[in-house]
């Protein structure tokens, strides 16, 4: 029996679970996939927005600025990569200068600090590779970049360390409203909680409809991206936006915290919430559109492409609050941009809602906001590197050539709370597979380590979901030969 | 900080041959490799076709490796395994790390870059679709199958008819998998004809030229791919799409020299090969830093790797012995009509003893043409070639004699 | 009339050779499409007795290296390759093994031995 069940371990759910772990309440964090941060949280622009973009008066505006201001401390406590790069919204015409003026005004109304409208020369000073056709820009110093999945994972780890229970591979399929509590069905598993917080992202409408009549619909909107090799890492130093249009914030060019360059996203309204494939049209569009901001990116420097689906609400804003029909059921839905930025502030607000509903919350005196530091081997001094290797020789074996990640770091990522259990789990936490070889060198080695550390057969190591097997069996398997067609017939006879 | 005369980075065929040659010329040699055994990529090559030129025998990759490893060990050359080189400076200070010694720096008087090459990935060619499991580069699949003994799939589609892709088509078929099709974007096979016959035709595996994969389907594990025909501009032709059900996709879409260390050492790279610019002695633009093998340009025959690496090893030793005298005028080799690149990029006339070999690749198929070698406008050599293809490297031997007569400082090779 | 198409692998050109049954010739075949004479012998051999060296691996009882690379020391008939694989697959060997050691003698009576391609 739990006090609170949080459905969905994306950035929203993890933020709320961690925030609530400050108090003496029994919390269950439920995730349908095999790892936290497996949905849109791992496939977005990774931007901490300054906050001029949201319409004043909306929940998006209300939570963007305070959320952004919490990032520095949060990422320091949780040891998550974050950089305040600043952002530029480029204007290419007098018309667009008017647009960015509007954004500036909106920013003032939203309480965004440290913004100014700058001219072409200052723009070129800030980022020299930008197009000559830039006329001016809105410069917001408070914008930044973060690793969204690492943040969600760190929040989950910290939450679990502070007493939160995490269920993975547990899709909530039915919720029974009982007297003063909710009974959640997750396949064969059941759990009961007094309060439920719905952070189910793309499926938050479906989860809401398990307890109430539809009050909002999630309208999936896909965005595609291309990620570039680190050798282009200095192509831009700030987050480069284009003027917003009806479809969204425009296509951006941004550095990532890991030293890559990202372009995207486009904005495509789709039906299928599972349609995370990239398309030729989408990729083509982001190339064309981003070239307007800066030329010089070459196709042969792309290391990967991906798509994320925004959980856009039919209400065009965040949906945050207790359900009118279902007492004790709190929706935190429609968390599309600036959802990542707003997450820390939304979490505080959600805790306030719970406080209100529970008539107060007792502090958890054992709460530790700090996550044990992640060893980043290559960032250590030579002396520290050697000390570490003496203590644990596994730090002396480089597994990931592209990012220089050691076996020790991978082993640690597996054994932490909410740790890695799959190839992608390792990739999200410590990077092997994210680099230019995209796992072709490190893959077999990481699988070996996973098998050893999780005490499973290497053939049972998966990429992410339970069905994403990698190896199909052993060689020397004579049972396979019935399928192979006759050689004699195959070769050359006419 | 330990010091050596010559440090060799990489213990595959290139590093082994270079180290052996360097050691024979005297001096202290250290070889480091990131694997747990010597031999590099050869240790996962169970197929034959290695050594036709060097040994006049057809050996498997492992047999070829063993010959060199034997000689290497007999010479008592110092080496470290399971050791990753992380950095090399222009002063040839090399940082490396392993479990037993930790993070160490060594200083070498000459360094030989022999890191081999890396495979091009799905991301690099931007194949649209989902990102399920079951997509492997051919080399990674080869490692699983041959070294570890695991099967990677049952119903396989292969993109790219490079040698590794074709070799794996045969290998997987022999282990009981079914290869449904090999798609190749170019109008001709990427690898050796011998492999087209012995890996594809022998097993009735269809080869679709002018085709590529335009979509990947599958949520958890790959479920199939859509293959489409390409027009003259290499763009997919609408209406030619065909869906192939499969549970595995192997990518054999190109190899790129490993150049991370080369970049650290600040050597100039050739944008066409992806590897360092080198002279006739296999020396890079940084004095005393040499390079050889796939780290310079991707080879088809390991025999050429061995030859090239011996040159590097020999000259690294000479460099250390101070025999570098005479950096006379350097001739620049220029790829002319029909030639994609030429290695070496520079030839110092006075450093050539008897002859120098030019290695090059053509940029498309040529039939009944000539390779014409010129200094400026003066033709110094013509070789008639009834057939040339990009997948098979060409070699032209230029004698020191003919170099002596060269007035011009640029040597071009054209297909005429 | 027997007619086969064979791709020659003697040189990079890869001539497409037509091999036609011809009782009047010594070899019993007529070869067309070859640019040189080397192709003739190759083509006839490919039709009368196509054979290949088989290279593969065999199970090795060794914690570090689970498979031993092996090969046949002579070409074996093409139509026996998969059957040879089945025989090789049922064998397990122990270390130490020397390069060239015979793992299976005279596999499927082809006259070819399966030998080790490396020392372990």
């Amino acid at each position: 029996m739990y006090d609170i069940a949080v459905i969905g371990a994306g950035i929203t759910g993890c933020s709320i679970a961690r925030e609530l772990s400050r108090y003496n309440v029994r919390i269950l964090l439920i995730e349908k996939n095999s790892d936290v941060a497996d949905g849109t949280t791992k496939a977005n622009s990774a931007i901490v927005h300054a906050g001029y973009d949201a319409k004043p008066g909306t929940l998006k505006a209300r939570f963007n600025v305070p959320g952004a201001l919490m990032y520095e401390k949060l990422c320091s406590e949780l040891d998550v990569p974050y950089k305040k790069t600043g952002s530029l919204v480029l204007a290419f015409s007098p018309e667009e200068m008017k647009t960015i003026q509007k954004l500036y005004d909106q920013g003032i109304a939203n309480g965004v600090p440290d913004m100014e409208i700058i001219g072409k020369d200052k723009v070129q000073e800030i980022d020299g590779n930008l197009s000559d056709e830039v006329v001016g820009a809105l410069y917001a110093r408070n914008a930044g970049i973060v690793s969204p999945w690492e943040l969600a994972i760190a929040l989950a780890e910290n939450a679990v360390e502070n007493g939160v229970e995490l269920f993975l591979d547990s899709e909530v399929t039915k919720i029974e409203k009982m007297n003063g509590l909710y009974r959640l069905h997750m396949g064969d598993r059941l759990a009961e909680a007094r309060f439920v917080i719905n952070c189910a992202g793309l499926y938050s409408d479906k989860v809401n409809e398990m307890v109430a009549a539809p009050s909002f619909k999630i309208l999936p909107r896909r965005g595609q991206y291309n990620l570039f090799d680190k050798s282009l890492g200095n192509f831009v130093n700030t987050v480069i936006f284009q003027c917003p249009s009806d479809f969204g914030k425009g296509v951006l060019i941004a550095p990532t915290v890991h030293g890559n360059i990202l372009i995207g996203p486009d904005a495509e309204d789709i039906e299928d919430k599972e349609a995370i494939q990239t398309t030729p049209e989408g990729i083509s569009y982001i190339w064309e559109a981003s070239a307007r901001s800066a030329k010089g990116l070459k196709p042969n420097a792309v290391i990967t492409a991906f798509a994320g689906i925004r959980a856009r609400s039919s209400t065009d804003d965040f949906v945050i609050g207790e359900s009118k029909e279902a007492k004790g059921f709190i929706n935190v839905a429609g968390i599309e941009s600036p959802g990542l930025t707003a997450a820390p502030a939304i979490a505080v607000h959600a805790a306030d809602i719970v406080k209100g509903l529970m008539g107060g919350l007792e502090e958890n005196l054992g709460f530790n906001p700090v996550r044990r530091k992640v060893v980043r081997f290559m960032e250590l001094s030579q002396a520290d590197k050697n000390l570490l290797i003496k203590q644990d020789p596994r730090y002396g074996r480089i597994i990931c050539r592209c990012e220089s990640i050691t076996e020790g770091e991978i082993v640690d990522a597996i054994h932490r709370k909410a740790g890695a259990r799959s190839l992608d789990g390792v990739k999200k936490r410590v990077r092997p597979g994210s680099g230019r070889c995209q796992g072709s060198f490190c893959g077999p080695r990481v699988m070996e380590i996973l098998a050893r550390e999780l005490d499973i057969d290497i053939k049972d190591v998966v990429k992410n979901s339970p069905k994403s097997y990698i190896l199909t069996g052993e060689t020397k398997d004579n049972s396979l030969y019935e399928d192979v067609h006759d050689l004699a017939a195959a070769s050359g006879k006419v | 900080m330990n010091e050596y005369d010559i440090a060799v980075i990489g213990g595959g065929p290139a590093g082994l041959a270079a180290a052996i040659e360097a050691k024979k010329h005297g001096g202290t040699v250290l070889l480091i490799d990131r694997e747990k055994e010597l031999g590099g990529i050869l240790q996962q090559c169970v197929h034959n076709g290695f050594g036709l030129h060097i040994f006049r025998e057809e050996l498997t990759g492992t047999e070829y490796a063993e010959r060199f490893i034997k000689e290497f060990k007999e010479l008592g050359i110092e080496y470290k395994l399971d050791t990753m080189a992380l950095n090399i400076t222009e002063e040839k200070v090399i940082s490396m790390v392993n479990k037993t010694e930790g993070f160490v720096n060594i200083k070498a008087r000459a360094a030989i870059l022999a890191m081999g090459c890396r495979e091009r990935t799905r991301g690099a060619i931007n194949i649209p679709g989902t990102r399920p499991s079951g997509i492997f580069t051919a080399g990674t699949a080869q490692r699983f199958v041959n070294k570890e003994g695991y099967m990677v799939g049952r119903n396989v589609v292969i993109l790219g008819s490079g040698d590794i892709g074709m070799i794996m088509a045969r290998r997987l078929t022999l282990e009981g998998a079914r290869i449904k099709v090999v798609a190749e974007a170019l109008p001709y096979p990427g690898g050796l004809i011998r492999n087209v016959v012995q890996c594809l035709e022998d097993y009735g595996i269809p080869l679709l030229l002018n085709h590529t994969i335009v979509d990947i389907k599958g949520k958890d594990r790959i479920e199939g791919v859509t293959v489409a025909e390409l027009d003259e501009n290499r763009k997919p032709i609408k209406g030619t799409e065909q869906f192939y059900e499969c549970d595995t996709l192997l990518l054999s879409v190109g190899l790129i020299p490993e150049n991370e260390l080369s970049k650290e050492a600040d050597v100039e790279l050739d944008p066409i090969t992806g590897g360092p610019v080198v002279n006739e002695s296999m020396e890079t633009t940084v004095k005393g830093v040499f390079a050889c093998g796939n780290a310079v340009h991707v080879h088809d025959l390991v025999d050429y790797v061995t030859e090239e690496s011996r040159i590097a090893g020999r000259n690294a030793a000479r460099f250390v012995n101070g025999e570098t005298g005479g950096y006379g005028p350097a001739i620049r080799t220029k790829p002319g009509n029909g030639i994609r690149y030429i290695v070496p990029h520079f030839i110092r006339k006075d450093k050539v003893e008897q002859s120098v070999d030019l290695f090059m690749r053509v940029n498309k198929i040529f039939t009944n043409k000539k390779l014409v070698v010129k200094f400026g406008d003066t033709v110094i050599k013509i070789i008639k070639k009834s057939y040339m293809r990009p997948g098979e490297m060409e070699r032209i031997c230029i004698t020191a004699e003919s170099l002596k007569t060269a007035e011009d400082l640029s040597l071009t090779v054209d297909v005429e | 009339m027997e007619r086969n198409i064979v791709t020659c692998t003697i040189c990079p050109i890869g001539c497409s050779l037509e091999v036609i049954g011809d009782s009047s010739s010594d070899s019993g075949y007529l070869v067309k499409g070859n640019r040189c004479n080397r192709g003739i012998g190759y083509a006839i051999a490919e039709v009368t007795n196509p054979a290949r060296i088989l290279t593969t691996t065999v199970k090795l009882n060794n914690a570090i290296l689970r498979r031993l690379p092996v090969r046949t020391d002579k070409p074996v008939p093409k139509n026996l390759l998969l059957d040879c694989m089945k025989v090789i697959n049922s064998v397990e060997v122990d270390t130490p093994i020397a390069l060239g050691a015979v793992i299976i003698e005279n596999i499927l009576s082809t006259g070819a031995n399966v030998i080790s391609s490396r020392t372990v």
Side-chain angles (χ1 to χ4, degrees):
Chain A
M1 176 53 181
Y2 299 90
D3 295 304
I4 305 157
V6 178
I7 302 178
I11 189 67
T12 310
C14 291
S15 299
I16 292 174
R18 189 257 188 171
E19 185 62 27
L20 287 171
S21 70
R22 291 182 192 276
Y23 308 103
N24 277 334
V25 277
R26 279 202 70 198
I27 306 158
L28 173 65
L29 176 59
I30 305 171
E31 169 54 48
K32 76 168 192 236
N33 291 322
S34 304
D35 194 7
V36 306
D38 227 31
T40 311
T41 299
K42 71 170 186 200
N44 57 72
S45 312
I47 312 288
V48 179
H49 293 284
Y52 45 77
D53 207 54
K55 243 172 61 195
T58 59
L59 292 175
K60 288 179 177 177
R62 177 171 158 196
F63 293 112
N64 187 152
V65 173
L69 292 172
M70 291 169 75
Y71 259 81
E72 188 116 35
K73 177 158 180 252
L74 186 64
C75 290
S76 162
E77 283 174 343
L78 297 174
D79 194 18
V80 171
Y82 160 72
K83 256 195 223 150
K84 199 150 68 157
T85 55
S87 67
L88 291 167
V89 183
L90 303 180
F92 293 94
S93 65
E95 276 303 306
E96 292 195 338
M97 286 300 288
K98 288 201 193 118
T99 308
I100 62 174
Q101 180 64 50
K102 280 209 195 83
L103 285 176
Y104 177 87
D105 295 335
Q106 204 162 256
I108 297 290
N110 288 336
V112 180
D114 260 332
M115 291 187 293
E116 55 178 313
I117 304 236
I118 58 175
K120 176 180 186 157
D121 290 330
K122 185 87 197 278
V123 171
Q124 291 287 346
E125 236 181 81
I126 294 172
D127 252 323
N129 282 322
L130 294 175
S131 166
D132 269 333
E133 322 222 340
V134 172
V135 155
L138 170 60
Y139 182 34
R141 283 184 188 73
N142 231 32
I145 54 176
V146 72
S147 175
W149 54 87
E150 278 177 78
L151 178 56
I153 288 167
L155 287 160
E157 182 185 328
N158 191 234
V160 174
E161 288 279 352
N162 282 309
V164 170
E165 203 169 333
L166 172 65
F167 282 3
L168 296 170
D169 291 307
S170 303
E171 182 181 346
V172 173
T173 48
K174 179 167 145 194
I175 305 177
E176 281 179 80
K177 245 191 286 194
M178 300 168 65
N179 211 353
L181 57 82
Y182 288 95
R183 179 180 284 157
L184 301 133
H185 294 247
M186 299 155 280
D188 287 333
R189 240 175 174 177
L190 287 173
E192 283 164 4
R194 293 168 59 197
F195 300 96
V196 174
I197 308 184
N198 174 15
C199 305
L202 286 168
Y203 292 96
S204 51
D205 52 358
K206 187 160 155 238
V207 171
N208 178 51
E209 285 157 36
M210 291 180 189
V211 297
S215 49
F216 64 90
K217 264 258 162 288
I218 296 295
L219 307 170
R221 181 173 270 178
R222 180 170 61 198
Q224 300 184 38
Y225 298 85
N226 256 174
L227 188 73
F228 291 81
D229 192 283
K230 283 182 166 183
S231 56
L232 262 70
N234 294 325
F235 188 70
V236 295
N237 298 307
T238 34
V239 177
I240 309 296
F241 290 110
Q242 297 169 339
C243 276
S245 63
D246 287 325
F247 262 150
K249 293 188 173 69
V251 170
L252 58 77
I253 304 180
T256 70
V257 286
H258 300 114
N260 302 95
I261 292 289
L262 190 66
I263 63 170
D266 64 340
E268 191 190 344
D269 290 321
I270 56 176
E271 295 291 319
D272 183 3
K273 291 176 178 177
E274 299 292 316
I276 50 160
Q277 63 269 26
T278 51
T279 64
E281 300 77 25
I283 299 296
S284 201
Y285 176 82
I286 64 176
W287 271 85
E288 250 181 74
S290 60
R292 205 166 157 237
S293 301
K295 293 189 187 16
L297 289 172
K298 298 259 177 302
N300 64 5
V302 172
I303 58 174
T304 194
F306 62 92
I309 307 180
R310 306 166 180 81
R312 191 171 141 252
S313 162
S314 51
T315 62
D316 226 2
D317 193 9
F318 296 155
V319 176
I320 302 180
E322 192 188 22
S323 162
K324 291 193 170 56
E325 265 179 65
K327 296 275 154 245
F329 185 93
I330 303 160
N331 282 310
V332 183
I335 310 297
E336 56 161 346
S337 186
L340 173 64
T341 313
I346 292 175
V348 170
H349 179 69
D352 282 338
I353 296 177
V354 172
K355 212 179 269 179
L357 293 174
M358 287 182 80
L361 285 172
E362 201 186 279
E363 256 186 60
N364 172 7
L365 294 171
F367 178 77
N368 182 5
V370 172
R371 174 169 86 133
R372 174 170 57 90
K373 274 204 167 342
V374 173
V375 171
R376 293 187 180 93
F377 183 78
M378 288 308 283
E379 291 173 18
L380 300 175
S381 70
Q382 187 171 338
D384 284 339
K385 281 186 173 89
N386 278 318
L387 223 75
L388 189 58
I389 295 172
K390 269 216 166 54
Q391 280 167 22
D392 185 349
R394 290 174 299 190
Y395 283 98
R397 254 193 107 213
I398 301 264
I399 300 296
C400 166
R401 171 67 192 101
C402 305
E403 309 279 311
S404 300
I405 307 296
T406 64
E407 181 175 349
E409 293 162 86
I410 296 170
V411 171
D412 185 41
I414 294 170
H415 292 298
R416 285 181 177 246
K417 295 279 192 295
R421 293 156 70 234
S422 63
L423 219 52
D424 278 359
V426 170
K427 176 178 169 184
K428 276 150 70 176
R429 287 160 178 77
V430 283
R431 308 277 296 151
S434 317
R436 59 177 65 105
C437 90
Q438 290 289 291
S440 34
F441 174 71
C442 57
R445 294 162 173 80
V446 174
M447 286 174 67
E448 223 173 74
I449 296 169
L450 276 165
R452 185 188 71 209
E453 297 298 317
L454 296 175
D455 200 20
I456 60 178
D457 191 303
I458 193 172
K459 298 190 285 292
D460 292 332
V461 174
V462 294
K463 183 172 186 285
N464 38 47
S465 66
K467 294 202 187 120
S468 63
Y469 61 93
I470 299 165
L471 303 173
T472 55
E474 310 235 342
T475 55
K476 320 288 120 207
D477 181 356
N478 278 340
S479 72
L480 294 174
Y481 291 103
E482 345 304 355
D483 274 348
V484 183
H485 44 243
D486 189 34
L487 274 185
S491 52
K493 286 209 175 349
V494 169
Chain B
M1 182 158 65
N2 282 343
E3 290 191 23
Y4 296 86
D5 289 321
I6 300 167
V8 181
I9 303 176
L16 289 170
I20 289 168
E21 197 69 12
K23 182 77 164 137
K24 283 178 177 165
H25 282 72
T28 55
V29 178
L30 171 70
L31 181 145
I32 72 166
D33 191 279
R34 65 190 182 184
E35 290 286 344
K36 293 189 166 151
E37 58 174 352
L38 295 168
I41 208 74
L42 290 176
Q43 296 292 24
Q44 63 183 58
C45 295
V46 306
H47 57 282
N48 61 353
F50 301 82
L52 268 167
H53 296 244
I54 298 273
F55 298 114
R56 299 219 173 286
E57 290 176 66
E58 255 211 59
L59 304 174
T60 67
T62 51
E63 286 169 337
Y64 192 92
E66 193 152 323
R67 299 238 174 139
F68 287 89
I69 293 171
K70 188 158 172 284
E71 192 179 0
F72 179 90
K73 288 190 177 166
E74 276 164 7
L75 286 169
I77 303 170
E78 191 182 333
Y79 64 101
K80 296 183 204 289
L81 295 175
D82 212 16
T83 301
M84 185 72 83
L86 291 171
N87 190 48
I88 174 172
T89 66
E90 261 185 80
E91 295 80 36
K92 293 151 226 121
V93 172
I94 300 165
S95 311
M96 61 190 76
V97 70
N98 64 38
K99 288 161 83 156
T100 45
E101 297 166 299
F103 186 96
V104 288
N105 287 324
I106 62 130
K107 169 101 178 62
R109 292 167 68 195
I112 305 180
L113 305 175
M115 299 85 66
C117 61
R118 148 164 61 86
E119 299 184 275
R120 197 170 265 127
T121 63
R122 177 242 177 120
I125 57 173
N126 240 334
I127 306 177
T130 56
R131 302 202 295 164
S133 68
I135 302 173
F136 304 88
T137 51
T140 305
Q142 187 181 55
R143 190 200 165 94
F144 276 124
V145 172
N146 290 341
K147 279 194 110 170
E148 336 238 325
Y150 295 110
M151 274 304 266
V152 294
R154 304 202 169 184
N155 291 296
V156 186
V157 168
I158 300 181
L159 178 62
S161 58
D163 287 318
I164 311 179
M166 294 197 283
I167 295 279
M168 282 313 290
R170 174 176 64 189
R171 187 77 189 94
L172 289 173
T173 305
L174 286 174
E175 290 288 344
R178 208 171 152 237
I179 313 299
K180 306 193 89 172
V181 68
V182 176
E184 166 57 59
L186 294 173
Y188 44 81
L192 307 171
I193 291 292
R194 169 210 161 94
N195 286 330
V196 177
V197 173
Q198 296 188 359
C199 300
L200 303 183
E201 285 181 13
D202 271 8
Y203 301 92
I205 297 171
L207 170 61
L208 288 180
L209 299 175
N210 286 311
H211 278 72
T212 195
I213 294 179
V214 294
D215 191 32
I216 294 178
K217 286 220 172 351
K219 184 167 181 287
D220 307 286
R221 174 89 181 187
I222 187 171
E223 286 160 37
V225 299
T226 302
V227 174
E229 198 180 337
L230 298 173
D231 62 22
E232 331 75 57
N233 297 317
R234 314 246 71 76
K235 294 273 178 281
I237 303 171
K238 276 223 162 9
T240 64
E241 295 91 0
Q242 256 187 301
F243 184 72
Y244 284 86
E245 239 179 71
C246 65
D247 66 10
T248 311
L249 171 62
L250 249 55
L251 300 171
S252 175
V253 294
L255 298 170
I256 310 163
E258 280 274 17
N259 51 26
E260 311 205 9
L261 281 180
S262 316
K263 285 189 195 157
E264 307 268 347
D266 236 349
V267 308
E268 192 187 323
L269 296 180
D270 174 353
I272 307 280
T273 58
V277 166
V278 292
N279 61 21
E280 79 302 314
S281 304
M282 299 311 291
E283 191 180 18
T284 67
T285 51
V286 174
K287 276 219 203 109
V289 175
F290 296 77
C292 53
N294 281 349
V296 177
H297 60 138
V298 177
H299 291 256
D300 327 301
L301 298 178
V302 73
D303 305 68
Y304 289 170
V305 167
T306 298
E307 283 181 24
E308 194 176 77
S309 306
R310 285 174 174 163
I311 295 172
R314 193 155 48 235
N315 286 293
R318 286 192 187 130
F319 175 86
V320 165
N321 291 334
E323 296 167 39
T324 53
Y327 273 84
I331 302 165
R332 184 62 161 107
T333 60
K334 287 206 173 100
N337 175 54
I339 305 288
R340 201 163 161 257
Y341 72 81
I342 302 176
V343 169
H345 305 78
F346 287 98
I347 301 171
R348 295 170 299 174
K349 284 202 276 193
D350 47 336
K351 300 301 282 175
V352 177
E353 288 159 51
Q354 283 158 323
S355 62
V356 61
D357 281 327
L358 301 181
F359 289 100
M360 65 200 72
R361 288 188 187 275
V362 292
N363 57 19
K364 58 185 215 271
I365 294 186
F366 289 106
T367 33
N368 295 322
K369 295 275 185 227
K370 294 175 274 187
L371 283 172
V372 180
V373 187
K374 291 189 202 126
F375 277 119
D377 290 319
T378 318
V379 176
I380 60 158
K381 191 159 190 175
I382 298 181
I383 304 180
K384 287 215 190 102
K385 302 289 280 186
S386 45
Y387 192 83
M388 290 186 290
R389 39 196 301 277
E392 296 187 54
M393 202 183 281
E394 298 293 337
R395 177 159 70 157
I396 301 180
C397 181
I398 305 290
T399 59
E401 275 305 307
S402 50
L403 283 177
K404 280 204 185 77
T405 65
E407 292 295 332
D408 207 274
L409 280 183
S410 106
L411 182 155
T412 43
V413 179
D414 291 282
V415 177
E416 285 177 18
Chain C
M1 180 184 61
E2 195 191 342
R3 185 170 157 262
N4 295 291
I5 307 285
V6 166
T7 308
C8 184
T9 58
I10 301 273
C11 90
I13 298 181
C15 297
S16 190
L17 306 174
E18 208 181 327
V19 187
I20 304 164
D22 180 4
S23 46
S24 64
S25 85
D26 285 337
S27 62
Y29 290 95
L30 181 65
V31 177
K32 290 192 194 166
N34 52 310
R35 288 185 209 218
C36 79
N37 288 332
R38 291 188 292 168
I40 300 175
Y42 174 85
I44 294 171
E46 274 296 284
V47 169
T48 54
N49 183 25
R52 302 279 182 262
I53 300 243
L54 176 62
T55 59
T56 180
T57 56
V58 82
K59 276 185 236 172
L60 184 64
N61 286 329
N62 180 299
I64 305 188
L65 188 64
R66 298 174 75 237
R67 296 285 183 265
L68 174 75
V70 296
R71 45 117 100 233
T72 54
D73 58 2
K74 289 193 192 62
V76 300
K78 216 164 75 163
N79 60 351
L80 287 181
L81 288 174
L82 286 177
D83 293 298
C84 287
M85 282 298 295
K86 289 188 205 173
V87 174
I88 295 169
N89 288 349
S90 16
V91 169
E92 250 180 65
V93 294
D94 297 298
T95 50
I97 301 269
L99 174 76
V102 174
I103 309 294
I104 300 169
E105 215 180 307
N106 190 14
I107 186 166
L108 293 179
S109 306
T110 55
N113 296 329
V114 175
I115 61 173
S116 166
S117 307
R118 68 171 285 176
T119 302
V120 183

